Amino acid sequence: GLAARALPAWKRVAAVARAGRGLAARKGRRRCLDGLRAWRRAAALRRLPALRAAVGERLLREAARACFERLVARHRALQAAADVITSRQPHLLELFEELVGRSHEVRREALWQWRERAFGRRVLLARGDELRSRLRRLRLGARLSRWRAYRERALLKARHEVQVQQFLLSDV
């Protein structure tokens, strides 16, 4: 009897010991993994300032390149506009060369005059669009006021007809 009861208890103690060793091994691996994660995080944080500086430099280079590309595109557009103007009116180029041949202040003013001539058409077109828009609004306002007047006259006429009908139907 006693040996028969002691054997299953012994087996249970052995099973608990095995489970404890497995749990200890898992805890040890977990501590190692936690340590590895902490080391990786520390290494990443140590590299972070250098990465931020590299990203900042890259963004500055890209911004400078984009600004330069925009400047070049605007210069090309200005050159194209000047070519169109000089092809339409070749005498302007001679006038421009005559004006540029003077002193620095005169050259600056000549450039401003040239720019005003080149972009004057755009300004005129914009003014024309604005005037057309204003005219559309005025016409629409006039139409609305005529419509209101028509509605008021129709209401007055309908009220008058109702009063006339009531008078005719009354026993006066």
Side-chain angles (χ1 to χ4, degrees):
L2 183 60
R5 280 184 286 167
L7 187 61
W10 176 252
K11 285 183 180 177
R12 276 184 289 192
V13 168
V16 168
R18 278 193 306 270
R21 282 192 303 268
L23 182 62
R26 277 184 265 148
K27 266 188 133 179
R29 278 186 298 225
R30 185 175 186 140
R31 277 191 208 131
C32 286
L33 288 176
D34 287 344
L36 183 62
R37 285 188 195 120
W39 178 79
R40 285 181 179 166
R41 188 176 300 129
L45 287 174
R46 193 181 69 224
R47 287 182 295 174
L48 190 61
L51 289 174
R52 282 185 180 166
V55 167
E57 289 174 13
R58 181 178 173 196
L59 287 174
L60 284 174
R61 281 194 310 269
E62 289 177 2
R65 188 179 71 238
C67 288
F68 186 70
E69 287 174 356
R70 182 175 173 158
L71 179 67
V72 167
R74 292 185 75 183
H75 177 71
R76 286 183 182 155
L78 182 63
Q79 287 286 356
D83 288 343
V84 168
I85 290 172
T86 55
S87 67
R88 288 183 187 164
Q89 298 176 354
H91 69 281
L92 287 179
L93 189 58
E94 295 167 4
L95 291 173
F96 181 73
E97 287 175 357
E98 177 186 320
L99 287 173
V100 171
R102 298 183 188 153
S103 70
H104 180 70
E105 292 297 323
V106 173
R107 277 187 270 166
R108 183 181 298 159
E109 185 160 335
L111 286 172
W112 278 109
Q113 288 175 0
W114 178 265
R115 186 180 182 282
E116 286 175 5
R117 280 190 187 172
F119 294 102
R121 180 162 170 75
R122 288 185 191 169
V123 171
L124 288 176
L125 290 174
R127 284 183 191 157
D129 290 342
E130 182 182 339
L131 289 173
R132 279 189 287 279
S133 172
R134 190 180 296 168
L135 182 62
R136 263 187 249 119
R137 285 194 304 263
L138 288 173
R139 285 179 179 166
L140 181 62
R143 287 180 193 148
L144 287 174
S145 63
R146 285 195 304 262
W147 171 251
R148 285 187 195 118
Y150 169 76
R151 279 188 39 216
E152 289 175 6
R153 282 193 309 269
L155 284 173
L156 286 174
K157 186 177 179 181
R159 285 183 192 150
H160 181 65
E161 288 178 7
V162 167
Q163 287 176 349
V164 168
Q165 289 297 326
Q166 287 176 350
F167 178 76
L168 291 177
L169 294 175
S170 69
D171 290 337
V172 178

